[in-house]
Amino acid sequence: MSGSVVLATHDLCKRYRQRTVVDRVSITVERGDVYGFLGPNGAGKSTTLRMLLGLVRPTAGRIELLGRPAGDRRALARIGAIVEGPALYGYLSGRDNLRMLSDLSGGAPAARLDEVLDRVDLRDRAADLVRIYSHGMKQRLAIAAALLPRPELIILDEPTNGLDPMGIRDMRALVRSLAGDDGITVLLSSHLLAEVEQVCNRGAIIARGARLWEGEVAELLAGRRRVRLRARPIEAARAVAASLGVEAREVEPGLLHVGRDGAHGEVTPAALVARLAAAGVEVDEIADEAPTLEEVFVSLVEQAA
């Protein structure tokens, strides 16, 4: 494994009797990534994460963590994780929850507890019982617990699940700062595509247990750029697009998404306007745009169905 690779899976599989939950998934997470592990509910994301952490034994395939095989205690000691929700005790304070969790892994000095509470902006609420915490505060406390061992990699399973818009914004900022300010590599599992698009530089999409895509998020979107066109008459605009060898899909009445890769090369907005004008088509709106990650995700999942 390269020194820049923090985590890699090779043809990872998990089957329960006749049901395949994870089907030959290979991913590579590089140092410094905020890596989005994306898929609809039931796609196999949580099962994959549990295999990475040694909580579930793979049926087949191989896992490498920080240059060591899966299950190696030296590697696991350098990883923080929240999988399938934080395990916290409501009758204890935030600080006592951290103290108890740290004792399970060898203990941490009081100064370290203060550091992680500061890091997630909970120092002022550390003495309060967790049962009165908001959902967002509980999520941040769980991240504080994951930060206790000073991890090189942190794995977060649906960290924005159930949060309100303010909580989502705060979680987004925290994830960005863990990578940017603390230098921690982040593997973020989610089905909330708008959030992932804003924080992740690389990622993978899985559906029905199989990987559909892996790479740079920006490249995935840039490679699917299109022209947004509102024109009249719409059928004449479609005919012009067809003559250029590109797809024109009507996404709402009078609005087309026109592909950029034509039969004779790239179709730019300027070239399209010239052809439309020559054909007597009136253009009300035209713009070059990239699809959202959500649109690409839905397209890939539907194609794989």
Side-chain angles (χ1 to χ4, degrees):
M1 178 186 283
S2 164
S4 66
V5 176
V6 172
L7 180 155
T9 69
H10 308 274
D11 292 329
L12 193 61
C13 296
K14 181 60 184 178
R15 289 188 292 274
Y16 292 101
R17 296 185 178 178
Q18 301 303 312
R19 186 167 65 97
T20 299
V21 179
V22 177
D23 187 9
R24 293 170 295 175
V25 168
S26 297
I27 62 171
T28 302
V29 180
E30 299 176 358
R31 193 169 301 279
D33 277 345
V34 179
Y35 186 102
F37 191 50
L38 317 176
N41 290 330
K45 301 189 302 297
S46 292
T47 300
T48 300
L49 298 187
R50 292 173 71 82
M51 286 191 284
L52 297 179
L53 295 168
L55 302 175
V56 170
R57 186 185 298 276
T59 304
R62 186 162 51 92
I63 301 168
E64 296 173 77
L65 287 172
L66 299 166
R68 299 183 182 278
D72 186 287
R73 292 186 178 181
R74 288 167 293 182
L76 291 174
R78 294 151 62 195
I79 296 171
I82 307 171
V83 178
E84 296 183 347
L88 302 171
Y89 296 91
Y91 59 87
L92 296 177
S93 69
R95 183 183 299 278
D96 285 343
N97 265 276
L98 289 185
R99 185 177 293 112
M100 185 187 67
L101 291 169
S102 72
D103 288 346
L104 294 175
S105 56
R112 181 58 183 163
L113 301 185
D114 289 338
E115 285 177 13
V116 298
L117 285 165
D118 277 334
R119 190 67 190 81
V120 300
D121 198 25
L122 283 177
R123 181 80 172 270
D124 292 342
R125 301 294 302 274
D128 293 347
L129 296 181
V130 166
R131 68 171 176 242
I132 68 171
Y133 278 16
S134 68
H135 185 58
M137 292 170 64
K138 291 175 182 176
Q139 291 288 74
R140 284 187 280 135
L141 183 63
I143 290 178
L147 292 174
L148 281 170
R150 303 183 189 275
E152 295 179 45
L153 168 68
I154 189 166
I155 296 174
L156 304 176
D157 187 14
E158 305 281 4
T160 58
N161 225 8
L163 297 184
D164 61 22
M166 293 293 288
I168 291 173
R169 186 198 64 179
D170 292 344
M171 185 60 66
R172 185 195 311 149
L174 177 57
V175 169
R176 282 182 182 141
S177 68
L178 290 175
D181 299 333
D182 297 57
I184 299 173
T185 302
V186 180
L187 172 60
L188 172 65
S189 167
S190 183
H191 65 280
L192 299 178
L193 286 304
E195 294 309 311
V196 168
E197 186 174 354
Q198 295 187 59
V199 299
C200 296
N201 64 303
R202 295 183 64 251
I205 294 174
I206 70 167
R208 299 173 182 264
R211 195 194 81 184
L212 306 181
W213 165 84
E214 184 187 43
E216 298 278 346
V217 173
E219 289 181 6
L220 174 67
L221 302 181
R224 293 168 178 258
R225 294 196 72 84
R226 65 204 178 195
V227 176
R228 176 185 175 91
L229 173 65
R230 197 178 293 277
R232 295 169 290 157
I234 197 70
E235 289 308 320
R238 279 182 183 276
V240 169
S243 72
L244 294 170
V246 292
E247 179 188 9
R249 184 168 59 90
E250 190 168 9
V251 292
E252 63 181 59
L255 177 63
L256 297 175
H257 282 169
V258 181
R260 292 288 303 267
D261 296 324
H264 307 292
E266 184 181 15
V267 175
T268 65
L272 183 57
V273 165
R275 292 292 290 269
L276 290 167
V281 177
E282 294 184 30
V283 177
D284 297 321
E285 175 189 352
I286 190 164
D288 180 36
E289 66 177 17
T292 65
L293 182 58
E294 183 174 348
E295 289 176 291
V296 176
F297 172 87
V298 170
S299 175
L300 289 172
V301 172
E302 287 179 344
Q303 290 173 24

